[in-house]
Amino acid sequence: MARPGPRGSLGDAGRIVPRSGYTTVLTTLISAAMSFLAVFALALSLSSGTLAQRWSDTLAQTATLRLSAPQSEIGAQTAAVLEILRTTPGITATRVLEVDEQLLEPWFGPDLPVEVLALPRLIEIIESPEGFDAAGLRLRLSAEAPGAVLDDHTRWRRPLVQAAASLRALAWLSVLLLSAAMAAMITLAAGFSLAANAQVIRVLRLVGARDAFIAGAFVRRLTVQALVGAAAGTVVGMAAFALLPVAGEAGFLTGLGFQGIGWLMPLAIPPLAGAIAYLATRIAALRVLRRES
C-alpha cells in the first residue's frame, strides 16, 4: 500500500513547496487575466440575446410604407393609403412623416433643396401586439395605390436574430478557449515548478515519499494560487461592468452586461478555474515525476 509521505498527511503536503517563486506568481496572474476575460465573454453571451430581442421587438411593433406618386396626385394617394390602413385589422395608428424626419441632411448636407425634390411620402405604421396581415395589405395597396411599398421590417429582424445566435456561440467558444489556454499555461507553470524544485523532490524520494504525495504538494499550492487569481480577476471584471454608465431605455447598448440573477453566473468562474488548475497540475506533475523516476 502506498504511503502518503515521509511524515504527516497529504493535507500538509503543500508546506514542502516554497511559497515564493515566479511559477506561483505566474499562476496567479494567468488565472486573474483569464478570469477577467471570461467575465467579459460571459457578459457578451448573456447580453447578445437580450439586445437582439429588444431590437427585434422594437422593429416588430412598427412598419413603414413608402408612397411614390406625381406631385399632383400625392395628396389624394396619401389620403387613400391612410384610409386603407385605418380599416386594416391589426394597425392601431399611422403617422405621415415630415420631410425633416426623413434624415436626409446627414446624407446630402444642409443645403439640399428638399422643397423642389419629388420625395416619396413615408408613413409610419404602429401595429397591435397581434400584428396585421402583411400579404393581404400588400394586395389591397397594389390594387388601390400601386405606388405604395410596404416594409414590415422582417428583413431587418431576421439578421438580428442570426447575429445574436452567432455572438452567443462565439462568446461560449471564447470561454472554452480561455479555459484551454489557462490549462495549458498552468501545465507549463507546474512543469517549471517541478524543475525548479528538483532538489526538494530528490530529498523527498530519499526519505520514502511516493510520487502521489509529491505531486499532491505541488497541486495543492498551484491550485490555491489559481483560485486566488481567478477570484481577483472575476471581482475586477464584475466591478468593471458595475461601473459602466447606465444607458437610458432607448440607449443602443441598454442591456449590455449582467442583469438580475445573471450577476451570480460569474461566481462560477473561480471554482471552474480551480478545477482546471487541479487537473492540469496533477496530470503535469505525475507525468514529469514518472519521466524522471
Side-chain angles (χ1 to χ4, degrees):
M1 180 180 297
R3 292 173 293 173
R7 292 180 61 186
S9 63
L10 190 59
D12 301 322
R15 299 178 182 177
I16 66 175
V17 182
R19 291 183 178 274
S20 60
Y22 68 91
T23 54
T24 55
V25 175
L26 179 63
T27 302
T28 304
L29 292 178
I30 289 171
S31 301
M34 294 301 177
S35 299
F36 181 82
L37 295 175
V39 170
F40 278 80
L42 186 60
L44 177 61
S45 175
L46 296 176
S47 302
S48 58
T50 303
L51 290 173
Q53 186 62 44
R54 181 172 61 86
W55 297 335
S56 180
D57 290 344
T58 300
L59 291 175
Q61 297 301 316
T62 61
T64 305
L65 189 144
R66 185 180 75 251
L67 177 62
S68 300
Q71 288 298 110
S72 58
E73 303 177 11
I74 193 67
Q77 289 279 347
T78 301
V81 167
L82 290 175
E83 180 61 23
I84 293 173
L85 296 176
R86 188 184 66 81
T87 57
T88 300
I91 295 179
T92 59
T94 58
R95 187 172 68 91
V96 180
L97 299 181
E98 301 295 335
V99 174
D100 57 356
E101 295 182 90
Q102 298 184 22
L103 303 178
L104 299 176
E105 183 174 327
W107 299 98
F108 300 104
D111 300 325
L112 178 69
V114 294
E115 65 278 357
V116 300
L117 298 177
L119 296 174
R121 191 67 55 85
L122 296 181
I123 302 174
E124 181 184 22
I125 301 172
I126 308 299
E127 307 176 29
S128 65
E130 296 78 16
F132 62 89
D133 181 8
L137 179 57
R138 286 191 176 95
L139 289 175
R140 290 185 64 188
L141 290 172
S142 64
E144 302 183 39
V149 177
L150 176 67
D151 181 5
D152 60 359
H153 299 164
T154 300
R155 61 174 177 168
W156 304 107
R157 294 198 301 269
R158 188 178 299 112
L160 284 175
V161 175
Q162 294 173 348
S166 299
L167 279 175
R168 191 179 299 113
L170 286 174
W172 284 113
L173 178 61
S174 299
V175 173
L176 293 177
L177 290 176
L178 288 171
S179 300
M182 180 187 295
M185 292 182 182
I186 292 178
T187 298
L188 291 175
F192 292 148
S193 182
L194 289 166
N197 292 277
Q199 185 64 35
V200 175
I201 293 173
R202 283 194 291 269
V203 172
L204 289 173
R205 279 177 167 168
L206 286 175
V207 297
R210 300 298 179 89
D211 285 353
F213 176 81
I214 299 172
F218 289 90
V219 169
R220 181 186 179 88
R221 174 57 52 80
L222 294 179
T223 300
V224 170
Q225 294 300 122
L227 276 172
V228 171
T234 300
V235 169
V236 173
M238 294 176 68
F241 274 104
L243 295 175
L244 284 177
V246 179
E249 289 297 325
F252 181 74
L253 294 180
T254 300
L256 180 63
F258 300 103
Q259 305 293 328
I261 198 173
W263 282 100
L264 298 178
M265 295 194 67
L267 299 180
I269 293 177
L272 179 61
I276 292 173
Y278 176 83
L279 292 175
T281 53
R282 186 164 184 83
I283 292 172
L286 290 176
R287 184 174 63 249
V288 172
L289 292 171
R290 193 179 303 114
R291 186 174 61 244
E292 295 182 356
S293 59

